[in-house]
Amino acid sequence: MPVRSATPRRWGPATTVLIGYAAAVGSGFALLSLPVAKAGPGAAAPLDALFTSISAVSVTGLVTVGTAEHWTVFGQAVILLLVQVGGLGIMTLASLIGLAVARKLSLGSKLTTSAETQGVGIADVRRFITGAIAVSLAVEAIGALLLTAWFATAGGFPPARSLWYGVFHAVSAFNNAGFTILPRGLIPFVGDPVVCLVLSALVLIGSLGFPVLDELRRFPRTPLRWSMNTRLVLWGTAVLTVTGTVFITAVEWARAATFGPLDWPVKLLAGFFQAAQTRSGGFATVDVGRLDGATLIVMDVLMFIGGGPAGTAGGIKLTTFGVLFFILVAEMRGRTAVNVFGKRLSRAVHRQAITVSLVAVGAIVASTIALALLSDEPVDRLAFEAVSAFATAGLSTGLTGDLPPAAQGLLLLLMFAGRLGPILLASALAVRVRPLTYEFPKERPIIG
């Protein structure tokens, strides 16, 4: 008779993350389904409660009902808690997965990983996690103080409401969630430099990722000690934010439906704000549904790229895009190796970046086709919603609440897959290295 092992079964990192996020979504759904969470009589519709819960845990910000008018203070507090749990969970769990991956590698690979990440190794788990939480809470506290003071003075809101607005939007911005509880949203603040710049700063800082923030804290004046990851994220953030600002401002400058009626300083501020939100912020100071089609396409690309790894932003990540860019440069120059900032990229990284990108493209294309079959809305608007959901950006042209339940269910799945998919896929590719004991003969097809 076989003897069963007394050792309890241990779940892998991917399973643990999925179970944890499913539990958070289920808890949020149960709380938001209570009558006390909904403004007015009765309880929230099950689909609205589930959609909001997943949107909050995945720090996306897409909604089927208005956050300010549909939910009570209790409901808004539940959403805020889900956003905080989702944001901290992504930062800490993504870091833990990276360390779990390193633990499965050989000793030589562990040492290489430790050197590449400036000393982040297995023994640094506690410092990594406590550091992520400390940075998150500190940045959110500073943002909340600034916003609270401004809402109470320039905004003219009562002190208690100003504090609630300040805390809610600081947490929502740093976690790149995009939820707002202001009665008219952020459109009335399109020309307010304090609100726009503070929220943009919180979004950009959160999108960098904790590994980058940790290195900037440890080596603020020695860029030569920054890892390739940090350099790719910083350069990518700067280039894409500037490029997005210039393009959005130029295209929308004279359009009467968007930037046309604004003074030129406000136009520059609005252009920068919308470009920063494509890092996965999700806020908007103009009606996104009225933006030019070319602007929406560029925002699609920026949302698809997203922010840094192990942060609160979504997308395929700036590092993945950076790797693809340098692979393209190397191929065009006829180089046999891909070099980035004085370091050579492993060919395994090439394959991982290509795989993650193609899977993401496939998911968005298939989802857009499905949305087009389920809805009669314009395809460019549906594609924008699909990219925003998968990239957990939260920007919307206003279609989400009007889509049929089946289409909303598809966006719901996209948000969950978009938040966890790239992280889990990248970690799985990193540990599943299975060298073959044989090789087939080589042959080259015609390319191009």
Side-chain angles (χ1 to χ4, degrees), residues 404-423:
Q408 292 178 352
L410 179 58
L411 292 180
L412 183 151
L413 295 176
L414 272 178
M415 289 188 292
F416 198 77
R419 173 49 75 182
L420 297 181
I423 297 174

Side-chain angles (χ1 to χ4, degrees), residues 347-438:
R347 291 193 178 275
V349 177
H350 302 187
R351 297 192 296 270
Q352 292 167 18
I354 293 172
T355 301
V356 169
S357 302
L358 289 180
V359 169
V361 170
I364 291 173
V365 171
S367 301
T368 302
I369 294 173
L371 289 174
L373 294 174
L374 295 170
S375 172
D376 296 330
E377 302 291 346
V379 175
D380 59 337
R381 263 52 177 176
L382 294 174
F384 189 90
E385 302 294 312
V387 174
S388 182
F390 184 83
T392 66
L395 291 169
S396 175
T397 57
L399 298 182
T400 303
D402 298 328
L403 292 175
Q408 292 178 352
L410 179 58
L411 292 180
L412 183 151
L413 295 176
L414 272 178
M415 289 188 292
F416 198 77
R419 173 49 75 182
L420 297 181
I423 297 174
L424 300 182
L425 178 59
S427 63
L429 293 174
V431 299
R432 292 183 180 179
V433 179
R434 300 176 180 176
L436 295 174
T437 57
Y438 60 91

Side-chain angles (χ1 to χ4, degrees), residues 187-213:
I187 290 180
F189 296 89
V190 63
D192 191 318
V194 174
V195 173
C196 290
L197 294 179
V198 169
L199 290 179
S200 297
L202 290 171
V203 167
L204 292 173
I205 293 172
S207 72
L208 295 179
F210 176 70
V212 174
L213 296 176

Side-chain angles (χ1 to χ4, degrees), residues 93-420:
L93 291 175
S95 301
L96 277 175
I97 287 176
L99 294 171
V101 169
R103 186 180 286 113
K104 294 183 179 181
L105 300 177
S106 64
L107 177 60
S109 297
K110 289 180 183 179
L111 295 175
T112 302
T113 301
S114 179
E116 286 294 329
T117 55
Q118 300 293 346
V120 175
I122 302 303
D124 297 318
V125 174
R126 180 174 298 179
R127 181 184 65 83
F128 232 55
I129 301 307
T130 56
I133 295 174
V135 167
S136 299
L137 297 180
V139 175
E140 289 170 357
I142 294 173
L145 288 175
L146 294 174
L147 291 174
T148 298
W150 190 251
F151 285 141
T153 55
F157 295 108
R161 184 176 297 180
S162 298
L163 177 61
W164 179 231
Y165 286 166
V167 171
F168 190 98
H169 289 88
V171 174
S172 181
F174 178 77
N175 290 285
N176 280 234
F179 284 94
T180 178
I181 56 174
L182 290 167
R184 298 172 55 197
L186 289 173
I187 290 180
F189 296 89
V190 63
D192 191 318
V194 174
V195 173
C196 290
L197 294 179
V198 169
L199 290 179
S200 297
L202 290 171
V203 167
L204 292 173
I205 293 172
S207 72
L208 295 179
F210 176 70
V212 174
L213 296 176
D214 184 55
E215 283 195 3
L216 293 178
R217 179 187 62 82
R218 290 190 294 152
F219 315 118
R221 300 182 180 180
T222 53
L224 293 178
R225 302 187 65 179
W226 294 348
S227 65
M228 181 190 297
N229 179 81
T230 295
R231 297 183 185 187
L232 282 173
V233 171
L234 292 178
W235 273 105
T237 299
V239 170
L240 294 183
T241 302
V242 171
T243 302
T245 300
V246 172
F247 186 90
I248 294 172
T249 305
V251 173
E252 303 296 332
W253 186 273
R255 298 188 71 243
T258 52
F259 290 9
L262 306 177
D263 296 333
W264 71 265
V266 180
K267 293 180 181 180
L268 296 177
L269 179 63
F272 167 74
F273 186 84
Q274 293 310 138
Q277 300 313 305
T278 58
R279 295 276 67 72
S280 193
F283 293 116
T285 53
V286 295
D287 187 349
V288 177
R290 296 186 177 185
L291 293 174
D292 187 81
T295 301
L296 293 180
I297 293 175
V298 170
M299 293 176 71
D300 282 339
V301 174
L302 295 176
M303 290 189 297
F304 178 78
I305 296 172
T312 58
I316 63 170
K317 307 304 181 186
L318 283 163
T319 46
T320 304
F321 177 76
V323 168
L324 294 177
F325 173 78
F326 281 104
I327 290 175
L328 176 63
V329 172
E331 288 294 328
M332 294 180 65
R333 293 182 176 180
R335 304 284 176 82
T336 57
V338 179
N339 300 317
V340 181
F341 301 128
K343 300 288 184 67
R344 181 170 59 86
L345 281 179
S346 167
R347 291 193 178 275
V349 177
H350 302 187
R351 297 192 296 270
Q352 292 167 18
I354 293 172
T355 301
V356 169
S357 302
L358 289 180
V359 169
V361 170
I364 291 173
V365 171
S367 301
T368 302
I369 294 173
L371 289 174
L373 294 174
L374 295 170
S375 172
D376 296 330
E377 302 291 346
V379 175
D380 59 337
R381 263 52 177 176
L382 294 174
F384 189 90
E385 302 294 312
V387 174
S388 182
F390 184 83
T392 66
L395 291 169
S396 175
T397 57
L399 298 182
T400 303
D402 298 328
L403 292 175
Q408 292 178 352
L410 179 58
L411 292 180
L412 183 151
L413 295 176
L414 272 178
M415 289 188 292
F416 198 77
R419 173 49 75 182
L420 297 181

